Amino acid sequence: MATLVKDRFGSTERLKVIEEDITKFHIRYHFIPFMKEKCHATEKPAKVVSNLPFNVSTEVVKLLLPMGDVFSVVVLMLQDETAVRLADASIQTPEYRPINLFVNFYSEPEYKFRVDRENFFPRPKVDGAVISFKLKNSEEYPPVAPKTFFSMVNSAFNGKRKMLRKSLQHLCTSSEIEAALHNIGLPVTARPSDLTLDDFVRLHNHLVEV
Ligand SMILES: C[S@@+](CC[C@H](N)C(=O)[O-])C[C@H]1O[C@@H](n2cnc3c(N)ncnc32)[C@H](O)[C@@H]1O
């Protein structure tokens, strides 16, 4: 693939073929100077279009979505089931997970279309799908510190069936959690799957004030 691309497009100065493991590659370090040199300041950031193996999907999503300063859009071929789950962040479903909050924190996902397994060679056991993530800029992120926010979200989902007043007890007392839930208009018995991204942000911000 790399050889084919180099042969076909090697003559353009706007192409650089890098053969690296995406999960270990320092994207900003290599990409930002290249973009500065090759693109005019008025141009929008670059886009990612990728057809990676399905088993690195989640790792790649976690790596690329917080890069709104470098990329405007990330378009990925994923396993159909994964693409459906990432694009749909409906609360109160068994599929609702911290990764949905992560995706919607950093981007606006859109399921594009299914790609039947017959279109691949060798034929996999599952269908693929194309999904796009329009990346947000940092000023569009919800008003929280991502590190403490996702730490709270992960703790909340560790006890998925547990009420938040129990699963977040390492952060605050249950009565403080109940008061925070009440303040944001949620039942004191709420579970993590009842909360939207916005609810989690408001809960987090109430709890850090305690
Ligand atoms: C499904 S094939 C797609 C090939 C080609 N991009 C296409 O669309 O026809 C997946 C490609 O990802 C490459 N790949 C697998 N793991 C990778 C990683 N961690 N970093 C970069 N490339 C990887 C493989 O070498 C393979 O060429």
Side-chain angles (χ1 to χ4, degrees), residues 1 20-22 51-53:
M1 176 88 186
E20 291 281 351
D21 180 341
I22 182 72
N51 180 16
L52 280 167

Side-chain angles (χ1 to χ4, degrees), residues 1 20-24 50-56 60 120:
M1 176 88 186
E20 291 281 351
D21 180 341
I22 182 72
T23 62
K24 302 201 172 91
S50 169
N51 180 16
L52 280 167
F54 296 155
N55 63 349
V56 291
V60 170
F120 297 94

Side-chain angles (χ1 to χ4, degrees), residues 23 41 59 64 105 127 156-157 195:
T23 62
E59 201 173 341
L64 295 177
F105 188 100
D127 295 321
F157 277 86
L195 274 68

